[in-house]
Amino acid sequence: MTQPTFVPITEADQVRPALHLQVPEAWTTSRPAELRTPTALKGRSVGTPGTDAGFALRLARRFADDLKLREGENEHDALLGCGLIAARRAALYGRGPSIYDVQVALALWGFLRDDVPEELVVARRHAFSSVSHDYVAQRSLVDAVPDGSLRLTPAQAQAGFLVVAAPQPVATQPAATA
């Protein structure tokens, strides 16, 4: 409620005039780096943007006691790699990660079962080796999982395993020397 006009107020308490902004003009895509089409970039090492992807890492930690690791495999690498795969699966569906995304990622690589083929164990040992310390290895691991495998239900993923070769490292450009 405003103050009545007959009540005296000091000059410091007077309402000050506000600055008014101009009405903005029509917006156009005129800056050099703006995308002019609503399509996302696709290809190796580009990633799949999605909402709250980091939550998949938190969900993955819930499976720490359920992992069936073999010799030479690291719990931290397995959970981080599967969390990244789960985040990609959620992004393909246009939503944030859920526990089912993590279950699918872990099941595809056989981390929740004891009866895993030795070829898959060798492939996942190579694919997940030190993945938590190497961004290029992370991108390579996530890119190695086909979209069709990520669209499986958790029950379908538990029934079978991922059939994929170990991810190939992405070629990096040598640093320029002056």
Side-chain angles (χ1 to χ4, degrees):
M1 191 162 134
T2 61
Q3 191 169 6
T5 56
F6 58 85
V7 177
I9 56 174
T10 64
E11 188 176 332
D13 293 334
Q14 293 282 343
V15 177
R16 294 175 189 86
L19 295 176
H20 297 284
L21 297 175
Q22 296 177 358
V23 176
E25 297 178 14
W27 179 82
T28 60
T29 56
S30 58
R31 296 180 290 185
E34 287 181 319
L35 298 175
R36 300 188 193 291
T37 60
T39 58
L41 298 174
K42 295 188 187 284
R44 289 180 48 93
S45 298
V46 174
T48 308
T51 58
D52 201 17
F55 186 58
L57 300 176
R58 183 180 179 111
L59 290 172
R61 279 187 271 162
R62 292 185 181 185
F63 289 91
D65 296 334
D66 300 332
L67 290 179
K68 311 286 193 233
L69 298 175
R70 302 279 180 91
E71 184 179 338
E73 294 179 328
N74 183 322
E75 176 183 309
H76 181 66
D77 289 335
L79 292 177
L80 182 106
C82 287
L84 295 172
I85 294 167
R88 178 172 173 224
R89 181 178 188 266
L92 287 175
Y93 286 109
R95 58 171 171 74
S98 70
I99 198 76
Y100 304 110
D101 299 320
V102 179
Q103 285 176 345
V104 168
L106 289 166
L108 286 175
W109 286 97
F111 283 116
L112 299 177
R113 292 174 52 176
D114 287 321
D115 59 335
V116 181
E118 193 60 35
E119 310 87 54
L120 181 62
V121 173
V122 171
R124 78 181 187 193
R125 187 178 300 135
H126 178 267
F128 285 82
S129 177
S130 299
V131 77
S132 60
H133 302 288
D134 186 1
Y135 178 77
V136 174
Q138 292 171 11
R139 295 278 24 105
S140 166
L141 170 67
V142 174
D143 289 342
V145 182
D147 288 353
S149 296
L150 294 175
R151 297 205 183 271
L152 297 174
T153 65
Q156 291 170 330
Q158 280 286 21
F161 297 108
L162 181 66
V163 180
V164 67
Q168 301 300 319
V170 176
T172 57
Q173 296 178 354
T177 57

